[in-house]
Amino acid sequence: MAQYSEKVMDHFSNPRNVGEIPDADGVGEVGNPVCGDMMKFTIKVKDGILEDVKFLTFGCGAAIAVSSMVSEMAKGKTLEEALKITNKDVAKELDSLPKNKLHCSNLGADALHNAINDYLQKNEKNN
Ligand code: FES
């Protein structure tokens, strides 16, 4: 069985920022066709800063831990900073992930970036 770090276990057992922001400024969804896991991120933006970040993850334990960690890492950051969060950063913050679970961290970073890009696109249209 894969060995998970204490941080992964903590974020899996006690995930932060679970849910969906009802009047979200941006929504990002991704799925992995191989494992079938899905993630949805909703964000609230104020003055170029991620004021709130929430996620819903239908997936494996690592995917849940990744979503929770990504939401914590992104909250309070500028959009630019949050767009720079990579899957490697997430895995590092979780004190690493087993090799066969690295794709789970891709989902987290991608879902966050999609939500930010969704926000940026909507805002372009409004201006
Ligand atoms: Fe696919 Fe974790 S097994 S996201």
Side-chain angles (χ1 to χ4, degrees):
M1 205 187 106
Q3 265 312 109
Y4 289 113
S5 71
E6 266 175 42
K7 266 202 193 165
V8 174
M9 290 314 292
D10 175 35
H11 278 267
F12 166 62
S13 331
N14 179 25
R16 284 61 145 179
N17 307 310
V18 177
E20 194 168 352
I21 302 170
D23 51 346
D25 295 323
V27 181
E29 277 176 292
V30 287
N32 182 307
V34 179
C35 63
D37 288 2
M38 287 183 304
M39 250 179 226
K40 181 176 185 180
F41 268 75
T42 45
I43 57 169
K44 202 82 196 138
V45 182
K46 200 178 172 201
D47 301 329
I49 288 184
L50 284 166
E51 199 182 38
D52 202 7
V53 181
K54 287 209 185 308
F55 76 89
L56 286 176
T57 292
F58 180 79
C60 72
I64 290 168
V66 160
S67 321
S68 170
M69 181 53 94
V70 168
S71 69
E72 280 214 320
M73 288 167 79
K75 245 193 195 182
K77 285 212 162 67
T78 65
L79 300 180
E80 250 181 27
E81 286 166 343
L83 278 172
K84 283 190 198 139
I85 297 174
T86 64
N87 58 333
K88 285 203 184 99
D89 297 333
V90 182
K92 206 169 137 206
E93 280 297 317
L94 285 168
D95 291 339
S96 95
L97 282 168
K99 243 199 202 133
N100 62 342
K101 289 285 170 183
L102 278 177
H103 77 271
C104 316
S105 58
N106 290 345
L107 283 189
D110 287 353
L112 172 71
H113 296 168
N114 284 355
I116 295 172
N117 286 327
D118 179 48
Y119 165 80
L120 291 173
Q121 261 175 15
K122 280 181 188 155
N123 259 40
E124 248 169 45
K125 274 181 210 147
N126 291 341
N127 287 338

